[in-house]
């Protein structure tokens, strides 16, 4: 059965770390599609440096030749903050009988108890938590207790939602903050972003005169 992996983020801008992580994730699945969803208004961080449509356009350019990865701009059409719960609810309605997996990094996982309707997320999808090889898991007590009985290995999944899966992926020494800093400093970013994305940034004069923040 086909599974859908949902990979959200600000992608400000998308870089090779995002793309390589997406491709590595697909290696864990025999049959899956991965959807990258740019966030319109992030609930837990400052507004991105460029508008969401530019970020979505760059994402589309970055994955245009990868048949297993696509971009969905669903959050760009919603008013207000871009809550993960609302996106997962939309995808569960689209794919009522398929396994859904929402991908989040470890830094996001440890803040999960601050998310909108966080305890209901596993009613809609499985959560894939990306960890660092050999990394130590440190969680708030509330989150640890909630996840007891939910954490399983990927090959033990037998339903369409409800579990937490921890996967260890190679970490790439790239960050969107670092890319933005390089652009502000008029430095070369060819090692960090795909050529079509680099050209789009130049053509639209993005990130040149911004205040860089994380």
């Amino acid at each position: 059965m086909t599974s859908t992996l949902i990979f959200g983020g600000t992608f400000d801008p998308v870089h090779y770390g995002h793309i390589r992580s997406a491709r590595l994730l697909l290696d864990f699945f025999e049959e899956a599609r991965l959807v990258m969803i740019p966030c319109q208004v992030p609930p837990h961080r400052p507004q991105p440096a460029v508008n969401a449509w530019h970020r979505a356009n760059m994402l589309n350019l970055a994955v245009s030749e990868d048949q297993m990865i696509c971009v969905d701009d669903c959050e760009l059409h919603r008013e207000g903050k871009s809550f993960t719960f609302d996106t997962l609810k939309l995808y569960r309605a689209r794919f009522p009988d398929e396994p859904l997996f929402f991908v989040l990094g470890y830094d996001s996982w440890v803040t999960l108890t601050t998310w909108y309707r966080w305890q209901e997320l596993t009613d809609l999808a499985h959560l894939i938590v990306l960890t660092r090889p050999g990394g130590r898991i440190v969680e708030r007590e509330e989150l640890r207790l909630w996840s007891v009985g939910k954490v399983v290995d990927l090959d033990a999944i037998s339903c369409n939602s409800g579990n937490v899966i921890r996967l260890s992926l190679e970490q790439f020494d790239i960050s969107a903050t670092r890319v933005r800093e390089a652009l502000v400093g008029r430095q070369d970013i060819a090692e960090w972003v795909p050529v079509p994305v680099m050209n789009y940034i130049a053509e639209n004069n993005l990130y040149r005169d911004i205040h860089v923040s994380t």
Side-chain angles (χ1 to χ4, degrees):
M1 178 183 293
T2 300
S3 300
T4 298
L5 282 67
I6 300 169
F7 187 173
T10 53
F11 304 112
D12 187 31
V14 60
H15 52 68
Y16 282 130
H18 296 129
I19 304 306
R20 291 169 183 167
S21 291
R23 289 171 178 159
L24 286 174
L25 275 167
L26 286 169
D27 289 342
F28 286 93
F29 294 82
E30 291 185 4
E31 190 174 354
R33 66 176 75 87
L34 187 143
V35 184
M36 303 184 80
I37 302 180
C39 178
Q40 165 80 301
V41 182
H44 299 104
R45 59 183 299 172
Q47 189 65 16
V50 304
N51 73 57
W53 291 106
H54 277 313
R55 291 183 282 111
N57 290 340
M58 288 187 283
L59 261 180
N60 276 301
L61 288 170
V63 302
S64 61
E65 297 183 1
D66 198 319
Q67 295 182 345
M68 301 309 296
I69 302 176
C70 63
V71 177
D72 187 348
D73 61 13
C74 62
E75 293 189 354
L76 278 59
H77 299 277
R78 291 205 305 262
E79 296 292 332
K81 294 180 179 179
S82 303
F83 291 119
T84 296
F85 175 84
D86 295 332
T87 299
L88 294 184
K89 187 175 180 181
L90 172 68
Y91 266 80
R92 178 49 67 200
R94 286 182 184 176
F95 305 108
D97 301 317
E98 291 186 12
L100 294 181
F101 296 85
F102 178 72
V103 181
L104 65 164
Y106 174 72
D107 291 345
S108 295
W109 166 252
V110 296
T111 69
L112 193 70
T113 57
T114 68
W115 290 28
Y116 175 66
R117 300 178 71 167
W118 67 276
Q119 291 174 310
E120 300 173 61
L121 297 179
T122 50
D123 295 337
L124 301 167
H126 301 294
L127 304 184
I128 292 181
V129 181
L130 301 182
T131 61
R132 298 175 178 84
R136 181 166 170 258
I137 304 296
V138 180
E139 302 163 332
R140 295 182 183 180
E141 185 70 2
E142 183 181 14
L143 180 60
R144 187 189 66 79
L145 292 174
W146 175 79
S147 62
V148 169
K150 296 180 184 292
V151 179
V152 299
D153 293 333
L154 184 59
D155 57 10
I157 295 294
S158 60
C159 51
N160 293 334
S161 62
N163 293 118
V164 176
I165 304 98
R166 290 176 176 145
L167 295 181
S168 179
L169 293 187
E170 177 186 356
Q171 298 298 300
F172 302 100
D173 187 22
I174 311 170
S175 72
T177 300
R178 188 175 177 187
V179 175
R180 295 196 300 271
E181 288 174 343
L183 287 165
V184 169
R186 306 298 197 269
Q187 298 171 17
D188 182 33
I189 60 169
E191 294 183 27
W192 300 329
V193 303
V195 171
V197 174
M198 185 170 60
N199 292 340
Y200 184 93
I201 290 171
E203 291 165 3
N204 290 276
N205 197 30
L206 303 179
Y207 302 106
R208 297 300 184 185
D209 300 303
I210 62 169
H211 172 70
V212 177
S213 65
T214 57

